[in-house]
Amino acid sequence: WQALTQVLEESMEYTKYLDEKGEEQAIPNSSVTITVAELGTFFKTDDNVMMDVLVSMWDGQLENWGHKTKTTGQTEIKNPWLNMIGCTTPSWIQNNFPEHMIGGGLTSRIVFVYGDAKRHLVAYPDEVIKGEEYRELENKLVEDLQQIASLAGPYKLSAAARTWGRKWYETLWTSRPLHMASDRYSGYISRKQTHIHKLSIILAAAKRDEKVIEKEDLEEANELLTSVEPHMIKVFEAVGVVDEAKHVAEITAFVRVHKWLTSNDLWRMCANVMREYDFKTALRIALQGGILEIEQRGEHRGLKLKSAVPPTKH
């Protein structure tokens, strides 16, 4: 985190824009975007100071952020704005994120985009997108991003957007989504409004030069964010999981791949990763919970995913 704050401090520049009166204004800001191919090389979840730094950066308040130590001296960041896109797996999160980070803290400030199956089976992308088409699309994207980068100044909400936003906000706090009923998601729910408005600015900038958030931007942002929540839940559920749940997930994964297994075959596959008692307990939970069901094939009885549960691809 010390290196991160140093980079932010060194990145300070002034953003100029015209205010409502047509007068030029200049705001100092320290903005950095980080791409992390493997989150484990950046995050140290046991470093409480680093977690606190990242949490404080998220709000993006118009104020200076300061920190002072005996060794590094005084660090002052003017209006910090930190963007990060990182890649990891649920298993890494399960092994490295403590339970207390789920209810609030850093994880509620992260939008987890998770996919457990390929959307398109494309072995060789150049067979689908030709070189000329790719370069043309790339040039148009660069041109569009350059135009977006020229925008400066505050965004405003249109009257229709505010009307929609007030109604949405009331619904959020009076009719909590059923798929996020657990208290584990309270922190995320509390910050969903901010997530949506930040995303709305991006959508508005991608569509028009006017610095106005329209109703359609909020609606689209809400739709996009809500669409990733079912998969986001899978990531949250990977943190603080009890052993029984891990064992159920393990036996379910074997049955999912093999489609149908006798209990003896399933036990042989699981013998190296769990005790017999744990296996029998997980099998009972999976059957009682309606995850697995018994199916007779000839002289043998075996296990398969219950048909009412859509199979999850791995």
Side-chain angles (χ1 to χ4, degrees), residues 40-54:
T41 64
F42 176 81
F43 266 135
K44 293 184 178 178
T45 54
D46 58 347
D47 187 339
N48 293 329
V49 178
M50 181 179 188
M51 295 300 103
D52 291 341
V53 169
L54 293 174

Side-chain angles (χ1 to χ4, degrees), residues 17-25 154:
Y17 68 96
L18 297 178
D19 61 17
E20 294 179 348
K21 298 179 181 179
E23 298 177 356
E24 186 176 82
Q25 302 291 337

Side-chain angles (χ1 to χ4, degrees), residues 111-299:
V111 177
F112 291 95
V113 181
Y114 172 63
D116 55 9
K118 285 187 175 293
R119 184 172 57 179
H120 301 296
L121 295 177
V122 180
Y124 304 105
D126 63 337
E127 296 176 350
V128 179
I129 302 177
K130 302 302 179 183
E132 293 183 1
E133 181 183 350
Y134 180 89
R135 285 188 290 273
E136 182 182 0
L137 182 63
E138 180 184 30
N139 292 333
K140 288 182 178 179
L141 177 59
V142 170
E143 181 182 347
D144 199 22
L145 289 173
Q146 289 174 337
Q147 187 173 352
I148 292 173
S150 67
L151 301 176
Y155 267 73
K156 291 185 176 182
L157 289 159
S158 69
R162 285 183 176 274
T163 300
W164 185 93
R166 284 192 292 267
K167 184 177 180 180
W168 177 90
Y169 187 77
E170 182 179 351
T171 302
L172 178 70
W173 289 106
T174 56
S175 303
R176 184 161 175 161
L178 296 179
H179 64 286
M180 288 195 155
S182 172
D183 282 343
R184 289 173 137 250
Y185 314 122
S186 295
Y188 167 77
I189 291 294
S190 299
R191 292 175 179 86
K192 186 172 181 179
Q193 183 194 32
T194 305
H195 284 310
I196 285 178
H197 283 74
K198 286 184 176 183
L199 183 53
S200 295
I201 294 176
I202 296 172
L203 294 171
K207 298 174 186 176
R208 64 187 81 90
D209 291 339
E210 293 77 21
K211 296 186 290 293
V212 178
I213 298 174
E214 300 290 355
K215 174 187 173 183
E216 66 181 62
D217 302 322
L218 286 175
E219 290 176 329
E220 185 177 357
N222 179 55
E223 183 179 350
L224 287 170
L225 195 59
T226 303
S227 70
V228 304
E229 286 176 356
H231 295 287
M232 190 187 305
I233 290 173
K234 295 181 181 179
V235 179
F236 276 63
E237 288 177 344
V239 178
V241 177
V242 296
D243 289 339
E244 288 86 351
K246 295 178 184 178
H247 296 148
V248 170
E250 190 73 21
I251 67 172
T252 302
F254 279 117
V255 175
R256 179 179 297 117
V257 171
H258 290 272
K259 310 301 182 186
W260 182 91
L261 283 171
T262 66
S263 58
N264 289 335
D265 289 338
L266 180 57
W267 163 239
R268 279 193 290 271
M269 295 175 182
C270 296
N272 290 331
V273 294
M274 66 184 75
R275 299 175 303 171
E276 184 179 11
Y277 172 80
D278 296 326
F279 171 77
K280 291 180 178 179
T281 301
L283 187 57
R284 175 178 54 80
I285 293 173
L287 289 170
Q288 292 180 348
I291 301 173
L292 300 179
E293 64 181 352
I294 298 173
E295 181 182 79
Q296 188 80 28
R297 292 190 179 182
E299 299 179 355

Side-chain angles (χ1 to χ4, degrees), residues 1-3 5-6 9 49 65-76:
W1 67 266
Q2 292 91 340
T5 55
Q6 182 179 350
E9 185 178 32
V49 178
W65 185 93
H67 188 83
K68 186 176 182 179
T69 64
K70 292 181 179 179
T71 55
T72 60
Q74 177 72 30
T75 299
E76 185 176 31

